[in-house]
Amino acid sequence: EAEVAQSPRYKITEKSQAVAFWCDPISGHATLYWYRQILGQGPELLVQFQDESVVDDSQLPKDRFSAERLKGVDSTLKIQPAELGDSAMYLCASSTLGGHTEAFFGQGTRLTVV
Amino acid sequence: DQQVKQNSPSLSVQEGRISILNCDYTNSMFDYFLWYKKYPAEGPTFLISISSIKDKNEDGRFTVFLNKSAKHLSLHIVPSQPGDSAVYFCAARPTSGNTGKLIFGQGTTLQVKP
């Protein structure tokens, strides 16, 4: 069964260090999303790609966060420098073109900043 | 401002009984509503959705009801099973932009007791 792959599953990093997460969406899915879920809250969209183009990054803290999807397939989300408040689950999801169907989520990366 | 709200953080029901999870929204500009289920340390899994032009959608044990005048939707699980124990997120898709972006509620933790 096709699924969204994310790595690493868990990451512990020190404050002010750089950290990166990787996501490989379901094959053929043109739309890719990065969500952040803080404990006790629902996922919140950070950035959305349509193929290799960003279509929504309004909630991405651009001073420290960056995301890319160079070839329109897999994607990387980076945080530099990490802050204590960045501790959360980072979820990648994908859907077919235009997001007209439900999004399928990966297992997420649990980030702890110490 | 929280556009999608799940006001009950938790719900406990007996196996075989009905589970009713509720969700309220404040913005009328949503065209689709979705429910996701999430187990610990895993990503959300799509459960069921409903278009804003409908008032009911059923899939096996799961039924979602939409009351547009009250800006309220609910998920009914009948009969509830211990394996249904998870966090349930309500999500809404904004009409504008048609990007597929989802706005999530805070989640409700369902416990089904054997």
Side-chain angles (χ1 to χ4, degrees):
Chain A
E1 182 178 307
E3 60 181 30
V4 176
Q6 287 189 250
S7 67
R9 288 291 307 277
Y10 304 92
K11 180 71 178 179
I12 299 174
T13 191
E14 291 184 348
K15 178 182 166 184
S16 81
Q17 294 299 303
V19 64
F21 315 126
W22 176 81
C23 172
D24 191 13
I26 292 173
S27 178
H29 280 192
T31 308
L32 185 147
Y33 314 82
W34 282 101
Y35 284 85
R36 176 172 62 185
Q37 185 194 359
I38 296 171
L39 194 62
Q41 299 181 21
E44 182 181 30
L45 182 71
L46 290 174
V47 61
Q48 178 183 345
F49 290 91
Q50 189 69 38
D51 298 310
E52 66 276 7
S53 301
V54 173
V55 297
D56 187 345
D57 64 355
S58 57
Q59 299 303 311
L60 188 71
K62 298 180 188 63
D63 57 335
R64 298 185 300 107
F65 285 65
S66 64
E68 60 182 17
R69 193 185 184 196
L70 294 177
K71 297 182 179 179
V73 181
D74 58 338
S75 175
T76 302
L77 178 69
K78 297 180 182 177
I79 308 175
Q80 183 174 20
E83 296 181 353
L84 296 178
D86 296 331
S87 295
M89 174 77 87
Y90 290 82
L91 295 160
C92 179
S94 69
S95 65
T96 55
L97 185 64
H100 293 289
T101 63
E102 66 273 12
F104 293 86
F105 284 82
Q107 291 187 304
T109 296
R110 168 67 67 186
L111 173 68
T112 302
V113 182
V114 297
Chain B
D1 63 331
Q2 189 79 23
Q3 297 185 60
V4 179
K5 297 181 182 180
Q6 294 176 255
N7 292 316
S8 298
S10 63
L11 174 68
S12 181
V13 301
Q14 207 66 34
E15 180 180 6
R17 306 296 291 269
I18 184 172
S19 295
I20 300 176
L21 296 102
N22 294 303
C23 179
D24 297 297
Y25 59 97
T26 58
N27 186 340
S28 297
M29 303 303 288
F30 294 127
D31 64 354
Y32 255 92
F33 299 90
L34 304 88
W35 285 94
Y36 280 81
K37 178 170 72 173
K38 186 179 184 301
Y39 293 118
E42 294 186 12
T45 302
F46 170 74
L47 203 53
I48 191 170
S49 64
I50 186 168
S51 165
S52 61
I53 64 173
K54 297 189 175 182
D55 53 21
K56 177 183 175 181
N57 188 27
E58 188 173 353
D59 184 1
R61 297 186 298 114
F62 303 92
T63 303
V64 57
F65 295 92
L66 176 61
N67 182 335
K68 289 183 286 294
S69 61
K71 294 187 173 64
H72 176 84
L73 68 155
S74 61
L75 174 68
H76 292 211
I77 306 174
V78 182
S80 300
Q81 300 173 355
D84 296 329
S85 298
V87 178
Y88 288 79
F89 290 101
C90 165
R93 191 177 76 184
T95 306
S96 62
N98 203 20
T99 63
K101 165 185 176 177
L102 296 176
I103 298 175
F104 284 85
Q106 309 96 308
T108 297
T109 300
L110 172 66
Q111 183 186 25
V112 180
K113 298 179 179 178

